[in-house]
Amino acid sequence: MKTYRKRGRFAGRQSLLIIIVLAFVHCFVVWFIIEYTKYGRIITRRQGNRNRKVEHKFVVEVNLANGVKGTYTPKDTRVDRRHRYNDISDDEALERYLTDCQRRALLHGVFRPYKGYLTITIPVIKRYNNSVVLVESTLNSLISSTQQKDISKIVIVVFLLTNDPVWFEKAGKHLYNKYKEPVDKGFIQIVCGHRNGLSKLLPFPGVESRKEKERREENFQFLNILGYAKNLSTYTLLLDEDVLSQRDYFLKILGFIKENTRTYRVWFVLNFSNSNYMGQLMKTSDSLKLIKLLVFLRYDLNYWSLVEYMRGLKGQKKTYRIKNPTFRYIDIKRRTFLPKNYSKI
C-alpha cells in the first residue's frame, strides 16, 4: 500500500513538472511569434485598439535634409491604430503620389513643360452667395502688376477649397471664361483640391474629437496647397483673396530673395506683407519635409505652428520681412481663408 502511494505521488509530481515545462515552451513560442514575425505585429495592432483612451507622450525625431535634426513631443497622442499615420518614409513613392494627385486636381489650365521661378497660391472659400468677386480682385491686381517678360516665370494657382462639386464646377467655369487667355497659356491654373486623392494621406478616423476634426480639416487644406504647388516652381508664395499687389512685385521679390540668400543667413520663410500669414514665401525644396510633418503631426500642430517649428529647425532665428509690403488686404474686416493676424512692427 505504501509503495502504491509513493508511485502515485511520483506520477503526480511528474505530471506537474510536464505541465510547467509545456507552459514555459508555450510562452516562449508566443513571445517569439510576437517579436519576430508579421503575425505579432497584427496581434499588437489589434490589442492596441483596446487602449483607446490611454494617453502618453513620446518624442518624434525629425530628420531633415542638410543634416538638420530636431525633436518634438506631441501633447495629446492616443494609442489607437485607427489614428495611425501612413507610411510616408519613401520619398520617391510620395513624390509619384503627389504628382498623380496634382493631375487629378486641375480643373482648368495647362502644365508647362518647364519649372517656373514662382508659384503664387490663392485659396478660395465658398461664400453664402457663391460669389468669387474677392479672388477676381486678387487676380486682376496680379495680372496688371506682372510684366509681360515675367509671365513665363510665374504660375498663379487658384485653389477652390470646397467639397461641393456643383459650386467648384460653376466657379471654375466662370473664372476660366473670364481669364481664358492667361489660363490657356499656363499663367493661371484653377484647381479643386478635394478631388485630388490627397485625403488618403489623412484618412478619416473612426473616432475623433471636435478639436481634432477642425485641425485635421485645416491641415488638409494646406496639404492640398503644398502638395499641388510642390513641383511647379522654385519658390511658393501664399496669398489670399481680396489682396492688392504692388506694381513690379516680382522684381521686389527677386531682390529680397537675393538680399537674404547669403552664405551665413539661413531662412525657411520670408514675409512680403504686414500680415503674419498672408505673403509667406518658402522654397519648394522644403515642401516635402513640411508635407510629411503635416501628415505625421496632423492632430498635434496646426499649419502655422508647424511653420514656426520648421523655421526653428532650419536655424532661422528671426522674421525676415520686407520693409515696404508688397501685398496688402483691400479690407481687413472681410472673411477670407487666412486669419487676419498682423505683426506689431
Side-chain angles (χ1 to χ4, degrees), residues 175-225:
L175 292 174
Y176 173 70
N177 292 333
K178 185 166 184 177
Y179 302 101
K180 188 176 187 304
E181 182 178 353
V183 170
D184 290 338
K185 290 182 178 179
F187 181 43
I188 297 177
Q189 296 181 5
I190 303 171
V191 175
C192 179
H194 280 76
R195 75 173 195 177
N196 61 7
L198 277 178
S199 57
K200 293 181 180 179
L201 292 178
L202 298 181
F204 183 78
V207 179
E208 62 180 355
S209 65
R210 181 178 178 182
K211 183 179 179 180
E212 287 178 330
K213 181 180 179 181
E214 292 176 353
R215 180 163 293 177
R216 176 179 58 82
E217 290 178 349
E218 179 186 356
N219 287 339
F220 177 59
Q221 307 290 15
F222 287 105
L223 182 64
N224 281 320
I225 296 173

Side-chain angles (χ1 to χ4, degrees), residues 27 31 66 88 103 119 135 141 143 155 178 203 241 255 276:
C27 293
W31 171 82
N66 303 324
I88 53 175
R103 303 291 173 178
T119 297
V135 68
S141 179
I143 292 172
V155 179
K178 185 166 184 177
E241 299 178 86
N276 290 326

Side-chain angles (χ1 to χ4, degrees), residues 106 108-111 155-158 186-191 228 232:
L106 183 65
H108 301 283
V110 295
F111 290 105
V155 179
I156 301 173
V157 183
V158 179
F187 181 43
I188 297 177
Q189 296 181 5
I190 303 171
V191 175
Y228 186 90
L232 297 179

Side-chain angles (χ1 to χ4, degrees), residues 174-345:
H174 170 78
L175 292 174
Y176 173 70
N177 292 333
K178 185 166 184 177
Y179 302 101
K180 188 176 187 304
E181 182 178 353
V183 170
D184 290 338
K185 290 182 178 179
F187 181 43
I188 297 177
Q189 296 181 5
I190 303 171
V191 175
C192 179
H194 280 76
R195 75 173 195 177
N196 61 7
L198 277 178
S199 57
K200 293 181 180 179
L201 292 178
L202 298 181
F204 183 78
V207 179
E208 62 180 355
S209 65
R210 181 178 178 182
K211 183 179 179 180
E212 287 178 330
K213 181 180 179 181
E214 292 176 353
R215 180 163 293 177
R216 176 179 58 82
E217 290 178 349
E218 179 186 356
N219 287 339
F220 177 59
Q221 307 290 15
F222 287 105
L223 182 64
N224 281 320
I225 296 173
L226 292 173
Y228 186 90
K230 183 187 178 305
N231 296 321
L232 297 179
S233 304
T234 306
Y235 298 95
T236 301
L237 177 69
L238 179 63
L239 288 189
D240 202 357
E241 299 178 86
D242 199 37
V243 169
L244 283 180
S245 58
Q246 283 191 358
R247 196 157 189 82
D248 299 333
Y249 69 90
F250 186 63
L251 293 177
K252 295 176 181 179
I253 290 176
L254 287 176
F256 197 60
I257 291 176
K258 185 177 180 180
E259 178 184 341
N260 288 278
T261 305
R262 305 171 182 175
T263 55
Y264 61 87
R265 176 169 292 183
V266 179
W267 60 271
F268 175 74
V269 62
L270 300 178
N271 294 73
F272 288 88
S273 75
N274 287 332
S275 171
N276 290 326
Y277 302 142
M278 187 271 292
Q280 284 191 351
L281 180 137
M282 64 181 63
K283 305 170 186 176
T284 53
S285 58
D286 292 327
S287 296
L288 191 63
K289 311 179 193 75
L290 194 57
I291 289 171
K292 294 172 74 171
L293 286 177
L294 190 63
V295 172
F296 190 77
L297 301 173
R298 62 184 178 271
Y299 288 117
D300 302 300
L301 289 178
N302 60 22
Y303 174 78
W304 309 112
S305 300
L306 188 56
V307 168
E308 290 299 314
Y309 175 61
M310 285 285 294
R311 198 177 78 164
L313 287 179
K314 293 287 286 186
Q316 181 178 347
K317 297 181 180 180
K318 65 177 184 178
T319 301
Y320 298 124
R321 190 186 307 275
I322 195 169
K323 292 182 179 179
N324 188 13
T326 313
F327 305 97
R328 65 176 181 84
Y329 282 108
I330 299 175
D331 186 354
I332 61 173
K333 294 182 180 180
R334 287 176 179 160
R335 184 179 70 91
T336 56
F337 175 70
L338 300 180
K340 303 294 193 303
N341 188 298
Y342 283 85
S343 173
K344 297 180 181 180
I345 301 176

Side-chain angles (χ1 to χ4, degrees), residues 20-209:
I20 293 174
V21 171
L22 290 177
F24 177 78
V25 172
H26 176 75
C27 293
F28 175 78
V29 171
V30 171
W31 171 82
F32 182 83
I33 291 174
I34 292 176
E35 278 297 316
Y36 296 102
T37 67
K38 65 179 181 179
Y39 302 103
R41 291 192 289 270
I42 297 174
I43 294 172
T44 303
R45 283 198 295 269
R46 289 179 178 176
Q47 290 179 347
N49 288 334
R50 301 173 186 174
N51 302 326
R52 175 69 183 96
K53 295 184 179 180
V54 177
E55 298 184 3
H56 70 290
K57 294 185 178 181
F58 66 97
V59 176
V60 177
E61 184 173 349
V62 182
N63 249 323
L64 303 179
N66 303 324
V68 180
K69 295 183 179 180
T71 57
Y72 172 73
T73 305
K75 295 180 180 178
D76 182 18
T77 305
R78 298 175 180 178
V79 183
D80 184 358
R81 299 313 177 194
R82 289 176 295 183
H83 285 247
R84 67 183 183 274
Y85 303 108
N86 289 37
D87 184 14
I88 53 175
S89 57
D90 189 348
D91 289 352
E92 293 184 1
L94 183 59
E95 289 269 11
R96 291 193 299 268
Y97 183 71
L98 291 175
T99 301
D100 183 53
C101 293
Q102 184 187 61
R103 303 291 173 178
R104 290 200 298 265
L106 183 65
L107 286 177
H108 301 283
V110 295
F111 290 105
R112 290 169 173 169
Y114 57 88
K115 191 173 183 178
Y117 186 82
L118 178 66
T119 297
I120 301 175
T121 60
I122 308 174
V124 181
I125 60 176
K126 180 184 176 183
R127 303 183 182 279
Y128 68 94
N129 57 355
N130 297 330
S131 173
V132 289
V133 176
L134 297 185
V135 68
E136 290 176 0
S137 302
T138 305
L139 289 173
N140 293 336
S141 179
L142 287 171
I143 292 172
S144 62
S145 302
T146 305
Q147 296 184 13
Q148 190 67 28
K149 64 182 180 65
D150 296 328
I151 289 180
S152 61
K153 305 173 185 176
I154 302 172
V155 179
I156 301 173
V157 183
V158 179
F159 288 91
L160 302 177
L161 301 179
T162 178
N163 55 1
D164 184 353
V166 176
W167 181 79
F168 74 66
E169 289 288 351
K170 185 178 179 180
K173 187 175 181 180
H174 170 78
L175 292 174
Y176 173 70
N177 292 333
K178 185 166 184 177
Y179 302 101
K180 188 176 187 304
E181 182 178 353
V183 170
D184 290 338
K185 290 182 178 179
F187 181 43
I188 297 177
Q189 296 181 5
I190 303 171
V191 175
C192 179
H194 280 76
R195 75 173 195 177
N196 61 7
L198 277 178
S199 57
K200 293 181 180 179
L201 292 178
L202 298 181
F204 183 78
V207 179
E208 62 180 355
S209 65

